Amino acid sequence: MLNGKSAVITGSTSGIGLGIARALAGQGANIMLNGFGEAGAIEALRASLAAEFGVEVAYNGADLSQPDGGGALVRDARERFGAVDILVNNAGIQHVAPVEDFPPDRWDAVIAINLSAVFHAIRAALPGMKEKGWGRIVNVASVHGLVASANKAAYIAAKHGVVGLTKVVALETAEIDVTCNAICPGWVLTPLVQAQIDARAEREGIPVAQAGRDLLSEKQPSKQFTTPEQLGALAVFLCSPAAANLTGASLPVDGGWTSQ
Ligand code: NAD
């Protein structure tokens, strides 16, 4: 379905971004990977995706905490592939602390990577999409773009911002075949969440498996983690002709979390 299209997925060396990259590659899209990690492991990942799916896969390690990170990433993908048809803004970090103890440098980093980088990348990618008359922007927000939890001030402010930005971009592109939507996952078992489970296990003196079950029970009624594969399938749907008139939406994939 996406043969000949090119996709940039930020933060795709791990977790949800990698799941989305695999799903888009599976539909024939060329892929620009981004994110941190050990150089040898990233090259092995790049080569294995290219071999498995028979598409071009490139890597650009732009640091999205920097204002020009997203722009540089999009420009590089356009030079290599000729276009950026699909932009998935997925990179994100977390910091957990009460507001009064929240370190200002962590606030700045979370806002820069989880929110400002989304703006910078969209700003760089949109002119090319408008010129071609086709584009898909998928922002990986979170249930925390829709509801709040304690101790995550910067993350929740950033993700609510992403949901708002998604709506603005959808309105500005409403009359052309460019859509902009947000995916709002509940708990997904990735390194980002594993760190929170490990911290909980240590804090409460309980086994890690128990901490994982407690984490789910607290918020996610299905008591199942959403998987990167499920989110990849949703991203593919958002890039399909069936979703051409689906824009500005924030789609929870949260086992009922936000229905409570
Ligand atoms: P992860 O830690 O597995 O992956 C994060 C990715 O972002 C990695 O590839 C990392 O290298 C990259 N990254 C981090 N800082 C970066 C920077 N400065 N520049 C470029 N890349 C950077 O986390 P994940 O759980 O897969 O999270 C992906 C997205 O999904 C995030 O936006 C996160 O907020 C969101 N999300 C995650 C969950 C969850 O339960 N895991 C739930 C809702 C939303």
Side-chain angles (χ1 to χ4, degrees):
M1 183 181 82
L2 299 175
N3 276 344
K5 302 268 196 250
S6 299
V8 171
I9 303 101
T10 71
S12 43
T13 51
S14 165
I16 294 168
L18 180 54
I20 294 176
R22 288 184 59 81
L24 296 176
Q27 295 295 321
N30 296 321
I31 301 294
M32 173 62 85
L33 296 171
N34 161 259
F36 298 148
E38 196 266 314
I42 292 174
E43 173 50 25
L45 175 67
R46 190 203 63 73
S48 76
L49 283 177
E52 184 177 348
F53 297 109
V55 296
E56 277 186 64
V57 182
Y59 167 73
N60 178 306
D63 179 354
L64 300 179
S65 68
Q66 302 305 307
D68 191 41
L73 175 63
V74 166
R75 282 193 296 278
D76 183 24
R78 194 177 293 134
E79 271 164 34
R80 292 197 206 204
F81 299 137
V84 174
D85 303 294
I86 299 165
L87 171 64
V88 181
N89 289 300
N90 164 79
I93 59 168
Q94 176 63 281
H95 188 83
V96 181
V99 172
E100 65 273 28
D101 297 331
F102 214 92
D105 71 317
R106 290 298 83 204
W107 170 274
D108 288 344
V110 172
I111 297 295
I113 296 167
N114 295 19
L115 177 58
S116 299
V118 180
F119 160 73
H120 292 302
I122 291 175
R123 185 172 182 275
L126 253 187
M129 292 178 176
K130 285 185 169 175
E131 205 176 292
K132 279 186 82 174
W134 195 91
R136 294 288 180 266
I137 299 170
V138 179
N139 298 323
V140 180
S142 168
V143 285
H144 284 134
L146 305 170
V147 296
S149 297
N151 301 324
K152 295 184 175 176
Y155 187 88
I156 282 158
K159 295 298 188 181
H160 276 68
V162 169
V163 166
L165 176 60
T166 300
K167 293 176 186 174
V168 173
V169 175
L171 291 177
E172 292 183 10
T173 55
E175 293 184 29
I176 51 175
D177 197 0
V178 172
T179 68
C180 182
N181 292 289
I183 295 179
C184 298
W187 294 124
V188 187
L189 193 53
T190 66
L192 183 141
V193 163
Q194 190 62 52
Q196 293 174 59
I197 294 173
D198 293 346
R200 184 181 186 129
E202 197 176 318
R203 193 173 62 241
E204 296 179 9
I206 57 175
V208 170
Q210 178 65 44
R213 283 195 295 275
D214 291 353
L215 187 96
L216 280 173
S217 304
E218 212 171 70
K219 301 273 188 184
Q220 196 145 301
S222 67
K223 299 192 176 62
Q224 304 291 325
F225 287 104
T226 297
T227 65
E229 291 74 20
Q230 290 166 340
L231 299 174
L234 179 54
V236 166
F237 173 72
L238 290 173
C239 294
S240 75
N245 205 31
L246 199 178
T247 194
S250 299
L251 305 164
V253 190
D254 65 358
W257 179 328
T258 51
S259 298
Q260 297 171 98

